[in-house]
């Protein structure tokens, strides 16, 4: 697959409010196709707001000098957006009916629903694509199982497969390893690595340093609703930078291209 470098997301001086509370202010960010990126930040840094901006579930304050552009457009239809960007967000798991079969969960992605409704009849081509994804994510044998019967790791792989149903140009993952045990987390990281290697533009939004796969090309630090710094993983993921980002002393342990943060040494004034 030929790698592209065109910008798919442009945010400039974005301000967002919800329920009389300011979520972000002066948020600016550019993301490019062909550049796997991790957006890293503590809780409350604006990560969920960013994903809702991308999905067009939140809209910024209209003001001079502020701009949101997706694939070069300020106005984009939701159906087109759904086909070009696949999103795994933290709310989807809670919205899928517990009794919905695995095959129906993935096919419902074609219609933007949580299960197939009246009149939603997937074509043979769509069913074949769903079957390919289920096989790719090692879920074929589970296609008749109910969603509630899956493990957390199986659910996460299924939801990523669902996000890829349109073969989107961009895959946005919101805390993909949330609540996973070690084995399931490591399986998921192999999936993310494989997607990056296959040329999918993966954008991972997380607060977990240990889930940043070696294939990531760029890391953006988000804090207090603003981008505070960005660069290559080597430049960004240092003990000093991460300690400043999370406001706590950290020490890094590195192995096989991954990094794990452990508590650093507290000074007496920090105790």
């Amino acid at each position: 697959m030929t790698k592209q470098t065109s910008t798919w997301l442009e945010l400039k001086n974005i301000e967002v409010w919800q329920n009389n509370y300011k979520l972000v202010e002066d948020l600016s960010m550019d993301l490019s196709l062909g550049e796997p990126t991790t957006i890293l930040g503590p809780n409350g840094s604006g990560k969920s707001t960013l994903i809702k901006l991308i999905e067009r579930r939140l809209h910024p304050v209209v003001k001079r000098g502020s701009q949101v552009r997706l694939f070069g457009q300020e106005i984009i239809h939701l159906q087109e957006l759904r086909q070009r960007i696949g999103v795994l967000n933290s709310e989807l798991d809670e919205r899928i009916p517990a009794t919905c079969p695995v095959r129906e969960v993935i096919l419902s992605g074609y219609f933007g629903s949580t299960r197939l409704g009246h009149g939603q009849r997937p074509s043979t081509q769509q069913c074949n694509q769903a079957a390919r994804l289920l096989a790719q994510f090692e879920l074929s044998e589970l296609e008749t199982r109910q969603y509630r019967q899956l493990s957390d790791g199986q659910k996460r792989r299924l939801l990523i497969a669902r996000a890829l149903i349109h073969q989107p140009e961009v895959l946005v993952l919101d805390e993909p390893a949330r609540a996973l045990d070690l084995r399931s987390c490591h399986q998921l990281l192999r999936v993310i690595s494989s997607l990056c290697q296959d040329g999918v533009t993966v954008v991972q939004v997380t607060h977990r340093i240990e889930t940043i796969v070696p294939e990531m090309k760029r890391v953006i630090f988000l804090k207090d609703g603003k981008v505070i710094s960005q660069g290559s993983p080597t430049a960004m993921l240092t003990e000093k930078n991460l300690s400043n980002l999370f406001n706590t002393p950290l020490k890094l342990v590195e192995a096989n291209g991954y990094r794990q943060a452990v508590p650093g040494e507290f000074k007496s004034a920090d105790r």
Side-chain angles (χ1 to χ4, degrees), residues 134-193:
L134 289 175
Q136 178 182 345
F137 287 86
E138 300 179 2
L139 296 166
S140 297
E141 296 181 358
L142 305 176
E143 69 171 21
T144 60
R145 189 170 296 184
Q146 294 181 356
Y147 188 69
R148 65 182 175 185
Q149 296 173 317
L150 302 181
S151 69
D152 287 336
Q154 290 167 340
K155 287 179 179 178
R156 208 61 46 84
R157 297 205 310 275
L158 174 60
L159 295 182
I160 292 177
R162 182 183 185 276
L164 291 169
I165 197 70
H166 286 290
Q167 298 178 288
E169 297 163 72
V170 178
L171 176 64
V172 180
L173 303 175
D174 179 12
E175 297 289 0
R178 178 175 60 96
L180 297 186
D181 62 25
L182 280 177
R183 181 173 182 273
S184 296
C185 179
H186 293 171
Q187 287 178 328
L188 180 65
L189 295 182
R190 286 195 292 272
V191 167
I192 296 173
S193 290

Side-chain angles (χ1 to χ4, degrees), residues 85-254:
I85 304 176
V87 180
L88 169 66
N89 63 49
S90 56
E91 300 171 7
L92 183 57
D93 174 63
E94 300 171 0
R95 292 193 287 114
I96 292 177
T99 58
C100 189
V102 164
R103 184 174 180 274
E104 191 171 327
V105 171
I106 190 169
L107 285 170
S108 67
Y110 280 115
F111 307 98
S113 56
T114 54
R115 71 179 311 160
L116 295 178
H118 296 295
Q120 294 179 338
R121 299 178 182 275
S123 66
T124 299
Q125 182 179 356
Q126 289 173 332
C127 291
N128 290 339
Q129 168 67 358
R132 283 193 292 270
L133 283 168
L134 289 175
Q136 178 182 345
F137 287 86
E138 300 179 2
L139 296 166
S140 297
E141 296 181 358
L142 305 176
E143 69 171 21
T144 60
R145 189 170 296 184
Q146 294 181 356
Y147 188 69
R148 65 182 175 185
Q149 296 173 317
L150 302 181
S151 69
D152 287 336
Q154 290 167 340
K155 287 179 179 178
R156 208 61 46 84
R157 297 205 310 275
L158 174 60
L159 295 182
I160 292 177
R162 182 183 185 276
L164 291 169
I165 197 70
H166 286 290
Q167 298 178 288
E169 297 163 72
V170 178
L171 176 64
V172 180
L173 303 175
D174 179 12
E175 297 289 0
R178 178 175 60 96
L180 297 186
D181 62 25
L182 280 177
R183 181 173 182 273
S184 296
C185 179
H186 293 171
Q187 287 178 328
L188 180 65
L189 295 182
R190 286 195 292 272
V191 167
I192 296 173
S193 290
S194 178
L195 291 170
C196 292
Q197 292 167 16
D198 288 343
V200 179
T201 301
V202 177
V203 177
Q204 178 185 13
V205 182
T206 186
H207 66 273
R208 294 180 58 178
I209 299 159
E210 73 275 11
T211 65
I212 301 176
V213 299
E215 288 77 11
M216 288 291 159
K217 302 299 182 186
R218 183 179 175 202
V219 175
I220 298 174
F221 282 2
L222 197 62
K223 189 174 185 178
D224 298 327
K226 297 181 180 180
V227 173
I228 61 170
S229 57
Q230 57 186 301
S232 69
T234 301
M236 298 298 296
L237 301 177
T238 66
E239 292 178 356
K240 180 180 179 181
N241 290 343
L242 292 168
S243 297
N244 288 337
L245 177 65
F246 290 99
N247 291 327
T248 188
L250 297 172
K251 186 172 182 61
L252 285 184
V253 179
E254 300 185 37

